[in-house]
Amino acid sequence: MSLPRAQLWSVTAAAEVCSRLQQPNIDILSRTELANLLWTSLREALQQAGRSDSLSFGEDEEGRRRVSQRSLAHSKILGIAALPLYCGLYGKNREKLVAEQEYAYGDDVMFGFLDSIGVWSVYDLWVRNDGLVVIADSPCYTWSAPPDSPYDVSKRPWYVQGLAAADATSAEYSDPVTGERIGSVVHRFGDESETVVIAGTWVLD
């Protein structure tokens, strides 16, 4: 599968995460530390690609700086899978998440975290004056898979493809929410690691 030109930043972003990640056991990092690892990697990759304008900033009702994406990704923007944990920056529709408790993609950049018992939580994210991010203390949306059908990252096609590749590669798979065929860049962290970085999502024709 060829990588769309508009998604070339994804390769750099995945490499940036791998270069900043000191070791594969992300469970020793706080959620805010993980969010900042992804955020700083994303900002650097977009700057290198000349796509810094793909992110925009605006204040919410409490004067905090929120982030929006501009046609950057279908859903996943940048994430790390270090089993059993997974986390990532996503483009979400915050209004539907909060007001309707409907899981929907959109332009609002938010932080998602899958814990060791399979609970997926989505957190608000704001940018501080120093350029780093902070996430909310509590999630604005949570989801748990049915006991008879658990969500297992290790079985996701993008994770399997990333684990098998020696270097960054493109993965093709179905979105678990919309069913659309999408692509991403996946990059394994280290030769012996089971940690996989995923960057970008685009809809396949």
Side-chain angles (χ1 to χ4, degrees):
M1 179 182 62
S2 60
L3 182 67
R5 185 175 181 82
Q7 294 293 331
L8 290 177
W9 65 269
S10 303
V11 178
T12 306
E16 279 290 324
V17 173
C18 289
S19 69
R20 294 167 189 261
L21 193 62
Q22 299 300 311
Q23 45 74 44
N25 299 316
I26 65 173
D27 57 337
I28 68 171
L29 300 176
S30 70
R31 293 176 189 183
T32 296
E33 288 173 326
L34 288 167
N36 274 295
L37 169 65
L38 296 170
W39 174 250
T40 53
S41 299
L42 174 64
R43 295 296 301 273
E44 177 63 27
L46 292 178
Q47 184 176 12
Q48 291 186 35
R51 294 201 57 187
S52 294
D53 61 355
S54 296
L55 299 175
S56 60
F57 304 87
E59 292 190 352
D60 64 13
E61 61 277 2
E62 298 183 26
R64 298 170 297 193
R65 294 177 69 206
R66 291 192 182 276
V67 191
S68 298
Q69 63 156 349
R70 296 175 175 174
S71 303
L72 188 62
H74 164 271
S75 46
K76 283 183 288 293
I77 299 173
L78 189 57
I80 309 173
L83 304 181
L85 305 180
Y86 167 73
C87 66
L89 299 176
Y90 274 73
K92 302 290 187 188
N93 184 322
R94 185 180 182 276
E95 183 177 355
K96 287 189 175 182
L97 280 177
V98 176
E100 304 173 25
Q101 288 295 292
E102 177 184 343
Y103 195 78
Y105 301 132
D107 295 334
D108 302 308
V109 177
M110 305 180 77
F111 179 71
F113 187 88
L114 182 71
D115 65 21
S116 59
I117 61 173
V119 177
W120 174 245
S121 300
V122 180
Y123 294 82
D124 278 313
L125 176 149
W126 303 280
V127 181
R128 305 187 320 199
N129 291 334
D130 62 3
L132 296 179
V133 296
V134 61
I135 63 172
D137 293 333
S138 301
C140 61
Y141 177 91
T142 58
W143 172 85
S144 298
D148 59 344
S149 182
Y151 183 81
D152 188 348
V153 173
S154 71
K155 292 182 171 59
R156 293 295 297 148
W158 60 263
Y159 178 83
V160 174
Q161 293 174 63
L163 204 60
D167 205 344
T169 188
S170 297
E172 181 178 339
Y173 56 103
S174 295
D175 184 271
V177 177
T178 66
E180 294 170 288
R181 296 296 295 172
I182 55 179
S184 293
V185 167
V186 287
H187 196 309
R188 187 177 65 194
F189 174 75
D191 294 336
E192 304 298 326
S193 171
E194 293 188 351
T195 296
V196 173
V197 177
I198 181 167
T201 42
W202 58 92
V203 177
L204 302 174
D205 295 330

